[in-house]
């Protein structure tokens, strides 16, 4: 097929009105991109899933294994797949940032936990959502990498498991188990932070940030030549006050920033520290706030702080009451407003629109599918200088077909593609855009595309 026809078939694979016979034919094209698009929509018919699970190309079967739209009973059929890479993908499961992916049936996890290939078991062990019985099996696995991965991913392993793994014959397993329970077993801290263990950089800094340190260890790390260790101690809630005061004057900004977010500081004390948070700076929420997103008193303290990073931390909380939502919706820090739209279940509709218009990131349209997004009179943006704003006109339920047709001639290809997928687009213009490689994919995905045209694209 030529590149125009490939672009058309990629769009047809996503068309919600494409018949099952067409989708099955597209699945048999051998083009991996077309096949991926067939399986990347929430309206895949059961027959198509059946064909994909039994497809002779293991690449297609892997698409099912890590597909968030695939029904769990279909993914479960792959636990005995002859290809190890398919079983590994099944063990890893689909990735989803916000949506909850339904788990596999429990028997499927048990099969994967006994897989002959160590890589399958290790991939399964790295998941956080497997049944406790499966986790126990993996913590007793013959392979040390599997045992370590299993205890590392277990949110709160029971004492009998950690006791056994703390006595494991393999040092890396013992260390992973110790890191998992160090918060409740402070006697493990000195060994984990011994000088010869600091090479395990990420894990050592995590311990230095959270564990209860003795005075000697805290002093050694607070004056360590590596600023990352000083930053970790600066964030540690157990660090003595005199060391905190010393770190507040550290030459490294990230160290001073960590001090500025400590929970015991007053607003005046925070303001006295030389730190800055630029609009595009990514600052991780401090642990004391991140662990209490459901605590109203903590969130109120963060939301009303003059510290932008603490207000951002509050914006992560889906539990904020209406008064704090309204307060943060008016925040002068764009990241606060953006995080609020991304994480709160009920952000103000006007905020969703204003944030989209202001957002400079590739994620600017992510919230457009939310039912509360305000769609009334979006056609008013049809003459905007911003192409993204002009494209919003297609999401106005009352936008007339002649406006959609006019915007389908827009100089910006992104705007033309949005209009090409709009069912209100007059048919002659839809067919013209279907013949243009730049807009062919969007036009072929248009649910108003006639069936006879779909057939013609396939032939």
């Amino acid at each position: 097929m030529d590149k125009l026809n490939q672009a058309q078939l990629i769009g047809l694979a996503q068309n919600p009105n494409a018949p099952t016979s067409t989708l099955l034919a597209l699945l048999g094209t051998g083009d991996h991109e077309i096949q991926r698009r067939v399986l990347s929509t929430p309206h895949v018919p059961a027959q198509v899933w059946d064909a994909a699970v039994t497809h002779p190309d293991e690449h297609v079967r892997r698409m099912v294994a890590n597909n968030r739209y695939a029904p769990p009973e279909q993914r479960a059929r792959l636990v005995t797949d002859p290809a190890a890479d398919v079983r590994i993908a099944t063990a890893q499961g689909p990735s989803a940032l916000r949506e909850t992916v339904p788990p596999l049936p429990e028997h499927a996890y048990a099969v994967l936990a006994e897989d002959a290939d160590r890589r399958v078991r290790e991939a399964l062990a790295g998941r956080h959502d497997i049944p406790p019985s499966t986790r126990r099996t993996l913590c007793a696995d013959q392979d040390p990498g599997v045992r370590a991965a299993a205890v590392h991913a277990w949110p709160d392993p029971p004492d009998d498991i950690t006791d056994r793994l703390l006595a494991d014959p393999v040092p890396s397993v013992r260390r992973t188990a110790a890191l998992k329970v160090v918060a409740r077993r402070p006697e493990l801290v000195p060994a984990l932070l011994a000088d010869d263990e600091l090479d395990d950089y990420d894990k050592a800094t995590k311990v230095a940030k959270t564990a209860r340190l003795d005075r000697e260890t805290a002093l050694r790390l607070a004056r360590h030549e590596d600023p990352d260790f000083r930053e970790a101690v600066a964030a540690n809630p157990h660090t003595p006050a005199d060391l905190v005061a010393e770190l507040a004057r550290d030459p490294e900004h990230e160290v001073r920033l960590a001090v500025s977010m400590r929970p015991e500081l007053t607003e005046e004390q925070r303001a006295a520290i030389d730190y800055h948070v630029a609009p595009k700076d990514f600052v991780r929420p401090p642990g004391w706030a991140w662990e209490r997103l459901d605590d109203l008193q903590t969130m109120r303290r963060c939301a009303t702080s003059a510290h932008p990073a603490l207000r951002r931390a509050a914006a992560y909380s889906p539990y904020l009451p209406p008064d704090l939502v309204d307060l943060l919706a008016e925040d002068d820090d764009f990241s606060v407003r953006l995080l609020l739209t991304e994480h709160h279940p009920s952000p103000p509709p006007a905020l969703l629109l204003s944030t989209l218009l202001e957002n400079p990131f590739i994620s600017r349209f992510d919230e457009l599918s939310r039912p509360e997004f305000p769609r009334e009179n979006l056609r008013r943006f049809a003459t905007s200088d911003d192409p993204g704003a002009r494209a919003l006109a297609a999401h106005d339920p009352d936008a007339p077909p002649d406006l959609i047709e006019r915007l389908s001639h827009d100089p910006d290809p992104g705007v033309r593609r949005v209009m090409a997928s709009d069912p209100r687009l007059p048919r002659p213009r839809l067919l013209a855009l279907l013949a243009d490689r730049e807009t062919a994919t969007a036009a072929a995905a248009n649910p108003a595309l006639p069936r006879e045209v779909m057939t013609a694209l396939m032939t």
Side-chain angles (χ1 to χ4, degrees):
M1 70 183 79
D2 60 29
K3 290 186 177 180
L4 173 60
N5 189 221
Q6 183 191 38
Q8 293 167 333
L9 296 184
I10 287 173
L12 186 57
Q14 303 166 87
N15 194 310
N17 287 339
T20 300
S21 58
T22 298
L23 297 177
L24 289 170
L26 290 168
L27 200 62
T29 59
D31 185 301
H32 287 164
E33 182 58 22
I34 292 174
Q35 293 165 327
R36 185 181 70 80
R37 297 298 184 100
V38 168
L39 302 175
S40 296
T41 67
H43 45 72
V44 178
Q47 284 179 265
V48 176
W49 287 124
D50 286 336
V53 168
T54 58
H55 200 282
D57 184 351
E58 72 172 68
H59 191 97
V60 175
R61 303 199 301 277
R62 285 204 306 274
M63 292 179 192
V64 180
N66 55 30
N67 192 311
R68 63 191 177 98
Y69 295 119
E73 60 273 14
Q74 293 285 12
R75 290 187 284 121
R77 294 170 62 184
L78 297 170
V79 299
T80 56
D81 194 276
D85 284 347
V86 175
R87 302 197 307 278
I88 291 170
T90 305
Q92 290 171 333
S95 60
L97 294 177
R98 299 191 198 177
E99 305 89 346
T100 300
V101 178
L104 296 175
E106 192 159 337
H107 69 83
Y109 293 118
V111 172
L112 291 168
E114 300 292 344
D115 196 281
D117 193 312
R118 174 196 63 79
R119 297 172 299 166
V120 176
R121 305 194 307 275
E122 190 164 359
L124 182 65
R127 294 182 59 165
H128 295 268
D129 59 350
I130 58 179
S133 58
T134 304
R135 185 80 67 198
R136 283 184 170 273
T137 298
L138 294 168
C139 281
D141 194 273
Q142 61 183 353
D143 186 273
V146 175
R147 297 196 300 275
V151 72
H152 175 71
W154 199 330
D156 188 19
D159 287 338
D160 65 310
I161 295 292
T162 52
D163 286 342
R164 176 157 51 82
L165 294 178
L166 286 171
D168 196 276
V170 179
S172 60
V173 178
R174 296 197 301 271
R175 180 171 175 78
T176 302
L179 287 165
K180 195 67 189 180
V181 298
V182 67
R184 64 176 187 256
R185 299 197 181 185
E187 70 275 10
L188 299 172
V189 172
L192 288 171
L193 289 178
D195 285 332
D196 59 345
E197 293 289 348
L198 296 187
D199 292 338
D200 197 347
Y201 192 75
D202 291 338
K203 294 177 181 177
T205 54
K206 183 177 180 181
V207 174
K209 183 178 289 188
T210 58
R212 190 178 293 277
L213 308 177
D214 60 55
R215 172 77 187 186
E216 180 182 351
T217 303
L219 180 62
R220 174 167 58 91
L221 296 179
R223 295 175 181 174
H224 199 281
E225 63 180 9
D226 188 330
D228 284 352
F229 284 108
R230 303 201 304 274
E231 179 186 348
V233 177
N236 190 308
H238 310 294
T239 300
D242 62 315
L243 294 183
V244 171
E246 180 179 317
L247 291 166
R249 301 185 299 274
D250 195 274
E252 289 290 332
H253 172 259
E254 295 304 314
V255 177
R256 301 194 305 274
L257 177 63
V259 174
S260 74
M261 293 187 288
R262 291 184 62 85
E264 74 274 16
L265 299 188
T266 65
E267 286 294 297
E268 292 75 14
Q269 290 171 322
R270 293 190 208 285
I273 298 171
D274 179 19
Y275 77 89
H276 60 84
V277 178
K280 292 186 179 181
D281 286 350
F282 173 72
V283 182
R284 292 186 182 279
W288 61 272
W290 184 253
E291 294 161 4
R292 296 178 178 85
L293 294 180
D294 59 347
D295 184 285
L296 179 57
Q297 184 176 358
T298 300
M299 291 299 100
R300 187 172 296 282
R301 183 181 175 199
C302 291
T304 56
S305 173
H307 200 306
L310 295 185
R311 301 199 305 278
R312 292 180 190 181
Y316 277 101
S317 173
Y319 309 104
L320 295 181
D323 67 312
L324 292 185
V325 171
D326 291 343
L327 176 67
L328 295 180
E330 299 294 331
D331 201 280
D332 58 5
D333 184 272
F334 172 73
S335 291
V336 171
R337 303 194 303 275
L338 178 63
L339 289 167
L340 187 66
T341 64
E342 291 176 341
H343 296 280
H344 200 276
S346 303
L351 178 66
L352 290 172
L353 176 57
S354 63
T355 303
L356 182 151
L357 294 172
E358 189 179 351
N359 194 342
F361 306 115
I362 194 172
S363 62
R364 69 182 302 196
F365 297 105
D366 285 358
E367 309 304 317
L368 190 55
S369 61
R370 296 176 68 149
E372 62 266 46
F373 193 94
R375 301 176 187 280
E376 299 79 10
N377 199 27
L378 289 177
R379 58 189 179 277
R380 70 186 186 276
F381 296 110
T383 57
S384 171
D385 292 334
D386 176 7
R390 296 199 297 274
L392 289 177
H395 298 277
D396 184 336
D398 298 319
D402 63 322
L403 176 61
I404 304 300
E405 199 276 340
R406 176 167 68 79
L407 287 171
S408 74
H409 296 274
D410 194 274
D412 185 87
V415 176
R416 298 199 301 275
R417 283 191 287 269
V418 172
M419 303 308 144
S421 64
D422 194 304
R424 293 167 293 189
L425 188 68
R427 181 177 295 187
R429 183 58 182 155
L430 171 59
L431 297 180
L433 294 174
L434 184 65
D436 183 340
R437 185 178 161 196
E438 215 167 20
T439 52
T441 296
N446 192 317
L449 192 71
R451 286 288 180 94
E452 62 270 21
V453 177
M454 295 184 189
T455 302
L457 294 179
M458 292 300 300
T459 57

